[in-house]
Amino acid sequence: MSPTGPEAGSSADVELRVPADSAYVSVLRTTSAGLAARLDFTIDDIEDLRMAVGEASALVLPQAEPGSDLTCEFFMRAGELTIQVSVPSHQPAPPDEDSFAWQVLTTLATKASASADDRRFTITLSMRSAVEESDS
């Protein structure tokens, strides 16, 4: 697989757009699990990723403009999956780093960050497979 990622400015390998409603978070979690399985993540890694995506969604959804879409972009590399969860937002604010959701997200993900500009709020998380890390 060719290296891709948001930092490289490349387009996502998979992009999923759903209504910005918590009822659709299960779709993101299931898609994340399926893509991680394709990258040979362990079952434990996949469950951690599913939880991390749920927490990222919980952080962005309250800031979504009414009637907008939640966008989830997936960047795949061998043994690593980077996910950007974002919503349009009138006045996005960075997450409270002391909140339970942020603490869970940063514990589960290999790397996590938040960004807010004048129109969009984004959580980016990366996870590496335990199998890939043990081979390094």
Side-chain angles (χ1 to χ4, degrees):
M1 243 172 245
S2 63
T4 62
E7 63 281 342
S10 62
S11 62
D13 295 303
V14 176
E15 183 175 322
L16 184 60
R17 191 177 308 267
V18 297
D21 184 306
S22 61
Y24 294 92
V25 172
S26 63
V27 175
L28 301 180
R29 290 168 45 105
T30 301
T31 302
S32 300
L35 293 173
R38 285 184 50 111
L39 294 171
D40 296 325
F41 277 43
T42 66
I43 291 173
D44 288 341
D45 289 339
I46 291 170
E47 281 308 307
D48 286 351
L49 179 63
R50 286 172 47 83
M51 286 190 287
V53 167
E55 295 302 332
S57 299
L59 288 164
V60 300
L61 284 172
Q63 296 197 46
E65 293 177 7
S68 65
D69 288 337
L70 183 149
T71 302
C72 192
E73 296 177 290
F74 301 88
F75 301 87
M76 300 166 60
R77 292 194 306 194
E80 184 174 5
L81 184 59
T82 299
I83 302 170
Q84 286 188 325
V85 180
S86 65
V87 294
S89 180
H90 286 298
Q91 293 182 322
D96 176 4
E97 293 185 3
D98 293 327
S99 71
F100 180 74
W102 185 256
Q103 293 299 314
V104 170
L105 175 63
T106 56
T107 299
L108 294 170
T110 305
K111 192 166 61 171
S113 63
S115 63
D117 61 25
D118 61 340
R119 301 288 302 151
R120 196 149 199 86
F121 178 57
T122 304
I123 300 284
T124 302
L125 64 109
S126 294
M127 290 197 63
R128 293 191 52 79
S129 166
V131 172
E132 191 72 20
E133 288 177 353
S134 67
D135 289 344
S136 302

